[in-house]
Amino acid sequence: LSLIATGAQDGHIRIWDLRQKLNTFNMAAHPGGAVNELGVTLGKSSPVVVSAGADGRVLVLDPRRGFAPLFDFGKVTEDFVYSLLVLDDIAFVGDGRGKVTCFDLRAGQQLYALNAGQNAIRCLGATASSLICAGDDGNAIIFDF
Protein backbone atom coordinates (compact mmCIF):
# COMPACT_ATOMS: atom_id res chain seq x y z
CA LEU A 1 0.00 0.00 0.00
CA SER A 2 1.02 3.55 -0.53
CA LEU A 3 -1.09 5.12 2.24
CA ILE A 4 -0.20 6.16 5.75
CA ALA A 5 -2.50 7.34 8.55
CA THR A 6 -1.49 10.01 11.05
CA GLY A 7 -3.20 11.41 14.12
CA ALA A 8 -2.70 14.90 15.47
CA GLN A 9 -3.10 17.07 18.57
CA ASP A 10 -6.09 18.77 16.92
CA GLY A 11 -8.03 15.47 16.97
CA HIS A 12 -7.80 14.98 13.21
CA ILE A 13 -6.88 11.78 11.38
CA ARG A 14 -5.18 12.37 8.06
CA ILE A 15 -4.54 9.87 5.30
CA TRP A 16 -1.51 10.51 3.12
CA ASP A 17 -0.85 9.09 -0.36
CA LEU A 18 2.89 8.49 -0.40
CA ARG A 19 3.08 8.17 -4.19
CA GLN A 20 1.43 11.53 -4.78
CA LYS A 21 2.87 13.10 -1.61
CA LEU A 22 -0.58 14.45 -0.78
CA ASN A 23 -2.99 14.52 2.13
CA THR A 24 -6.00 12.77 0.56
CA PHE A 25 -8.33 12.57 3.56
CA ASN A 26 -8.91 14.59 6.73
CA MET A 27 -11.40 13.77 9.48
CA ALA A 28 -12.12 15.50 12.79
CA ALA A 29 -12.20 12.18 14.66
CA HIS A 30 -11.65 13.33 18.24
CA PRO A 31 -12.83 16.96 18.54
CA GLY A 32 -11.43 18.77 21.53
CA GLY A 33 -8.67 16.23 22.09
CA ALA A 34 -5.65 14.63 20.51
CA VAL A 35 -5.52 11.38 18.59
CA ASN A 36 -3.56 9.26 21.06
CA GLU A 37 -3.13 6.04 19.11
CA LEU A 38 -3.81 4.59 15.66
CA GLY A 39 -3.78 0.95 14.62
CA VAL A 40 -4.60 -1.10 11.53
CA THR A 41 -5.89 -4.65 11.43
CA LEU A 42 -3.71 -7.03 9.45
CA GLY A 43 -5.78 -10.22 9.62
CA LYS A 44 -7.53 -12.18 6.90
CA SER A 45 -10.47 -9.75 6.83
CA SER A 46 -10.40 -6.41 5.03
CA PRO A 47 -8.29 -3.87 6.95
CA VAL A 48 -9.82 -1.27 9.24
CA VAL A 49 -8.21 1.70 10.99
CA VAL A 50 -8.69 2.00 14.75
CA SER A 51 -8.31 5.33 16.54
CA ALA A 52 -8.21 6.08 20.27
CA GLY A 53 -8.40 9.70 21.39
CA ALA A 54 -8.00 11.99 24.34
CA ASP A 55 -11.79 12.32 24.35
CA GLY A 56 -11.94 8.70 25.62
CA ARG A 57 -13.53 7.40 22.41
CA VAL A 58 -12.48 4.52 20.17
CA LEU A 59 -13.41 4.62 16.48
CA VAL A 60 -13.22 1.91 13.80
CA LEU A 61 -12.92 3.32 10.26
CA ASP A 62 -13.40 1.50 6.93
CA PRO A 63 -10.85 2.49 4.25
CA ARG A 64 -12.97 0.81 1.56
CA ARG A 65 -15.81 3.27 2.25
CA GLY A 66 -13.84 6.51 2.38
CA PHE A 67 -12.84 5.92 6.01
CA ALA A 68 -16.47 6.09 7.12
CA PRO A 69 -16.89 5.02 10.76
CA LEU A 70 -17.96 1.39 11.11
CA PHE A 71 -18.24 1.71 14.88
CA ASP A 72 -17.91 4.43 17.47
CA PHE A 73 -17.47 2.70 20.80
CA GLY A 74 -18.20 6.00 22.49
CA LYS A 75 -16.51 7.10 25.66
CA VAL A 76 -14.82 3.89 26.82
CA THR A 77 -13.31 5.40 29.96
CA GLU A 78 -14.00 8.21 32.39
CA ASP A 79 -10.27 8.85 32.33
CA PHE A 80 -7.81 9.07 29.44
CA VAL A 81 -6.96 6.45 26.80
CA TYR A 82 -3.20 5.83 27.06
CA SER A 83 -2.59 2.77 24.89
CA LEU A 84 -4.01 0.75 22.01
CA LEU A 85 -3.09 -2.68 20.67
CA VAL A 86 -4.78 -3.94 17.50
CA LEU A 87 -4.63 -7.66 16.71
CA ASP A 88 -6.47 -9.21 13.77
CA ASP A 89 -10.10 -8.42 14.57
CA ILE A 90 -9.79 -7.34 18.21
CA ALA A 91 -8.35 -4.31 19.98
CA PHE A 92 -7.21 -3.70 23.54
CA VAL A 93 -7.38 -0.21 25.06
CA GLY A 94 -5.53 0.78 28.24
CA ASP A 95 -6.79 3.68 30.35
CA GLY A 96 -5.57 5.91 33.15
CA ARG A 97 -7.17 3.87 35.91
CA GLY A 98 -5.39 0.60 35.15
CA LYS A 99 -8.19 -0.93 33.11
CA VAL A 100 -7.70 -2.72 29.78
CA THR A 101 -10.82 -3.20 27.66
CA CYS A 102 -11.13 -5.65 24.76
CA PHE A 103 -13.27 -4.88 21.68
CA ASP A 104 -14.43 -7.02 18.77
CA LEU A 105 -13.73 -4.75 15.78
CA ARG A 106 -15.95 -6.66 13.34
CA ALA A 107 -19.01 -7.07 15.57
CA GLY A 108 -18.68 -3.64 17.19
CA GLN A 109 -18.89 -5.03 20.71
CA GLN A 110 -17.02 -4.61 23.95
CA LEU A 111 -15.99 -8.12 24.97
CA TYR A 112 -14.52 -7.71 28.46
CA ALA A 113 -12.41 -5.53 30.74
CA LEU A 114 -9.37 -6.47 32.82
CA ASN A 115 -7.87 -4.82 35.88
CA ALA A 116 -4.25 -4.58 34.82
CA GLY A 117 -2.74 -2.04 37.21
CA GLN A 118 -3.16 0.75 39.71
CA ASN A 119 -2.46 3.62 37.32
CA ALA A 120 -2.25 4.40 33.60
CA ILE A 121 -1.60 1.47 31.26
CA ARG A 122 1.01 2.88 28.91
CA CYS A 123 2.19 -0.24 27.11
CA LEU A 124 0.31 -3.18 25.62
CA GLY A 125 1.90 -6.11 23.80
CA ALA A 126 1.02 -9.65 22.86
CA THR A 127 2.46 -13.03 22.05
CA ALA A 128 0.53 -15.87 20.42
CA SER A 129 -0.86 -16.85 23.81
CA SER A 130 -0.59 -13.82 26.12
CA LEU A 131 -1.50 -10.16 26.59
CA ILE A 132 1.19 -8.10 28.32
CA CYS A 133 0.23 -4.85 30.11
CA ALA A 134 2.56 -2.38 31.82
CA GLY A 135 1.92 0.96 33.40
CA ASP A 136 2.76 3.85 35.64
CA ASP A 137 2.61 1.73 38.80
CA GLY A 138 5.92 0.15 37.69
CA ASN A 139 4.46 -3.31 37.20
CA ALA A 140 3.76 -5.55 34.26
CA ILE A 141 1.08 -8.21 34.20
CA ILE A 142 0.58 -11.06 31.75
CA PHE A 143 -2.85 -12.51 30.94
CA ASP A 144 -3.21 -15.79 29.08
CA PHE A 145 -5.54 -15.78 26.08
Side-chain angles (χ1 to χ4, degrees), residues 124-138:
L124 295 168
T127 67
S129 61
S130 302
L131 173 68
I132 302 120
C133 311
D136 285 355
D137 62 5

Side-chain angles (χ1 to χ4, degrees), residues 43-66:
K44 295 177 185 175
S45 303
S46 299
V48 296
V49 175
V50 183
S51 171
D55 58 0
R57 294 172 42 242
V58 174
L59 302 173
V60 181
L61 309 173
D62 187 351
R64 297 170 302 156
R65 296 191 329 198

Side-chain angles (χ1 to χ4, degrees), residues 29-119:
H30 299 280
V35 176
N36 293 350
E37 297 270 356
L38 287 172
V40 178
T41 60
L42 299 174
K44 295 177 185 175
S45 303
S46 299
V48 296
V49 175
V50 183
S51 171
D55 58 0
R57 294 172 42 242
V58 174
L59 302 173
V60 181
L61 309 173
D62 187 351
R64 297 170 302 156
R65 296 191 329 198
F67 296 93
L70 284 174
F71 302 106
D72 181 342
F73 289 108
K75 193 162 177 65
V76 300
T77 178
E78 292 303 316
D79 198 74
F80 194 77
V81 175
Y82 282 92
S83 53
L84 171 70
L85 175 66
V86 176
L87 304 171
D88 293 337
D89 293 337
I90 62 171
F92 295 93
V93 175
D95 76 7
R97 296 181 179 182
K99 184 173 75 171
V100 175
T101 306
C102 179
F103 298 93
D104 182 323
L105 300 174
R106 302 297 170 177
Q109 296 177 331
Q110 179 180 324
L111 298 177
Y112 54 86
L114 302 166
N115 290 318
Q118 300 292 321
N119 302 102

Side-chain angles (χ1 to χ4, degrees), residues 17-33:
D17 184 323
L18 298 178
R19 288 187 197 146
Q20 297 180 45
K21 299 179 183 172
L22 293 173
N23 174 213
T24 57
F25 178 80
N26 185 2
M27 173 188 186
H30 299 280

